[in-house]
Amino acid sequence: DFTEMMRALGYPRLISMENFQTPNFMLVSEVLLWLVKRYEPQSDIPGDVETEQDRVFFIKAVAQFMATKAHIKLNTKKLYQADGYAVKELLKVTSVLYGAMNTQGGERADLPEEDSSKFKFDLGSKIADLKAARQLASEITSKGAVLYDLLGKEVELREARTESIARPLEINEAEKVMKIAINSVLEEVQKTKDMLNNVALDEASLEAKIEKRKLELERSQKRLQTLQSVRPAFMDEYEKIEEQLQKQYSTYLEKFRNLTYMEQLLDDHRRTEQEMFEEAANMLRLIQNRLKEEEQHLLKSGGNDDSDIDIQEDEGSNSEGELQIMRHRISTEALLQG
């Protein structure tokens, strides 16, 4: 459908769906630029797509143009992919142009671009004119209502106007009115002069205050310079105390590090002693169990009295067992003492 629509719209190059099997951004940008020019020949969208930034700017410009001019929402990510998904987005624009060409019987497609541009209607450029026309219409209605009210009062006002014109002018009354007007003007002039005088007085007082502040500022600056130039008497002692404090702090840090190290060593020593004590207790428990087993074995073997040979052998074995028991006891006593 896309290729047929582009061929019907008069695209000068043959397009097939195989061109969009792999991303082909150059072809997509060329088609987009041609469609934009087809929709609005006076558009000024740049066609530079050499770098990545230029491509992003081109896609954004085309999507914004189609959204404002043709009210067509395009997916910029799919357009940037420049593959089969981009064809679906291009189909939105081509379908609108193809439908417009079909409604007009295909006559616009045969006309050159200069003639077809005459029949295009740019709704976006007419929005400002539409707002201005609405504002003028509201103003006309309001002015017409006011004029209608004034014309309704014209009957009464006409009579009053004719009476005032027909009435003879009295010199004394006119003189009084002129005097009242002159007096009011003189009063306003006097008020203005008083205000000017007050302004002059205020200006003089402000200038005096400014001069006073300037003098105070100069004195303060001079005093600051003198204070900065004079060295306090306690600065030498302060610097010596600061040096001593720095030394004390360095010694404190050294002692604190040593104390921490010694505490760590003490903890390690206690841990090793505890492990050695537990090992000795385990060994002592094993030795005691072994001695109990040997004593039980000796007691069982001592109850056999069948012959003299057996007795002699038993006596010999008893002596050997007693020697072993004595050795174990001596070793355990030495271990306990240790």
Side-chain angles (χ1 to χ4, degrees):
D1 295 337
F2 176 70
T3 56
E4 292 177 359
M5 287 182 184
M6 292 297 292
R7 192 180 299 111
L9 289 173
Y11 187 66
R13 179 179 172 182
L14 293 176
I15 300 173
S16 63
M17 294 306 296
E18 293 179 359
N19 299 126
F20 299 97
Q21 294 294 331
T22 58
N24 192 353
F25 192 87
M26 300 301 294
L27 180 58
V28 172
S29 62
E30 184 180 354
V31 171
L32 282 173
L33 191 60
W34 187 83
L35 290 173
V36 169
K37 293 292 184 181
R38 183 74 176 176
Y39 192 87
E40 182 65 36
Q42 287 80 20
S43 61
D44 55 351
I45 294 177
D48 297 332
V49 290
E50 296 295 331
T51 62
E52 182 180 358
Q53 188 175 4
D54 294 337
R55 293 180 179 182
V56 173
F57 180 77
F58 175 78
I59 294 295
K60 286 183 178 179
V62 171
Q64 188 176 4
F65 174 82
M66 287 298 173
T68 55
K69 300 293 184 181
H71 301 286
I72 298 172
K73 186 177 180 181
L74 298 176
N75 193 339
T76 56
K77 292 182 179 179
K78 292 182 179 179
L79 286 174
Y80 192 80
Q81 289 176 3
D83 52 3
Y85 293 101
V87 176
K88 296 181 180 179
E89 302 299 321
L90 294 172
L91 193 60
K92 296 178 181 179
V93 184
T94 54
S95 61
V96 173
L97 294 174
Y98 186 76
M101 185 183 68
N102 289 333
T103 53
Q104 294 181 2
E107 294 178 358
R108 186 177 296 180
D110 298 333
L111 295 174
E113 290 187 357
E114 295 180 358
D115 296 335
S116 63
S117 63
K118 296 178 182 179
F119 298 99
K120 290 184 179 179
F121 180 71
D122 190 3
L123 184 59
S125 62
K126 301 297 181 181
I127 292 174
D129 297 338
L130 183 61
K131 291 180 179 179
R134 287 179 179 176
Q135 187 176 0
L136 289 173
S138 61
E139 290 180 359
I140 288 168
T141 53
S142 61
K143 297 291 185 182
V146 173
L147 183 60
Y148 179 77
D149 294 335
L150 293 175
L151 290 174
K153 297 177 182 179
E154 177 63 21
V155 179
E156 298 177 357
L157 294 173
R158 187 185 301 161
E159 294 178 357
R161 186 170 59 250
T162 53
E163 287 179 359
S164 61
I165 291 171
R167 188 176 57 185
L169 184 62
E170 295 181 359
I171 297 173
N172 295 325
E173 187 176 356
E175 189 176 355
K176 289 179 181 179
V177 173
M178 292 296 294
K179 285 181 180 180
I180 292 169
I182 290 168
N183 291 328
S184 62
V185 171
L186 291 174
E187 288 177 358
E188 290 180 358
V189 171
Q190 188 63 34
K191 288 180 181 179
T192 307
K193 287 181 179 180
D194 295 337
M195 290 174 67
L196 291 173
N197 292 329
N198 292 329
V199 168
L201 293 173
D202 294 337
E203 187 178 357
S205 62
L206 288 172
E207 288 179 355
K209 288 181 180 180
I210 290 168
E211 291 294 332
K212 185 177 180 180
R213 295 294 182 184
K214 285 182 180 179
L215 293 174
E216 290 179 358
L217 179 62
E218 290 177 358
R219 286 197 297 269
S220 300
Q221 288 178 351
K222 290 179 181 179
R223 186 177 179 183
L224 178 62
Q225 290 176 0
T226 54
L227 289 174
Q228 289 177 351
S229 61
V230 175
R231 181 181 176 83
F234 59 86
M235 282 301 294
D236 297 334
E237 186 179 359
Y238 173 76
E239 290 176 355
K240 290 180 181 178
I241 293 171
E242 190 175 5
E243 291 177 359
Q244 293 177 1
L245 181 62
Q246 189 70 26
K247 291 179 181 178
Q248 292 292 331
Y249 182 70
S250 61
T251 54
Y252 165 74
L253 287 177
E254 185 178 358
K255 290 181 179 180
F256 182 76
R257 286 196 295 270
N258 294 332
L259 179 62
T260 306
Y261 179 69
M262 295 299 291
E263 288 178 352
Q264 185 178 0
L265 290 177
L266 181 60
D267 292 336
D268 295 337
H269 182 66
R270 287 176 180 174
R271 194 181 300 109
T272 53
E273 284 184 351
Q274 184 68 24
E275 291 176 355
M276 290 175 65
F277 180 75
E278 290 177 356
E279 289 178 358
N282 292 328
M283 289 179 66
L284 182 61
R285 196 179 299 110
L286 292 173
I287 292 168
Q288 288 177 355
N289 293 329
R290 192 180 297 169
L291 289 174
K292 286 180 182 180
E293 291 176 357
E294 290 179 356
E295 287 178 358
Q296 290 177 1
H297 181 69
L298 290 173
L299 290 173
K300 288 179 182 179
S301 63
N304 298 323
D305 297 331
D306 294 336
S307 62
D308 295 336
I309 297 170
D310 295 334
I311 292 169
Q312 291 177 0
E313 289 177 357
D314 291 338
E315 288 178 357
S317 62
N318 287 332
S319 61
E320 290 177 358
E322 288 177 356
L323 288 172
Q324 291 178 1
I325 291 168
M326 290 298 292
R327 288 174 184 174
H328 286 300
R329 287 181 180 175
I330 291 168
S331 62
T332 52
E333 288 176 0
L335 181 62
L336 291 172
Q337 289 177 1

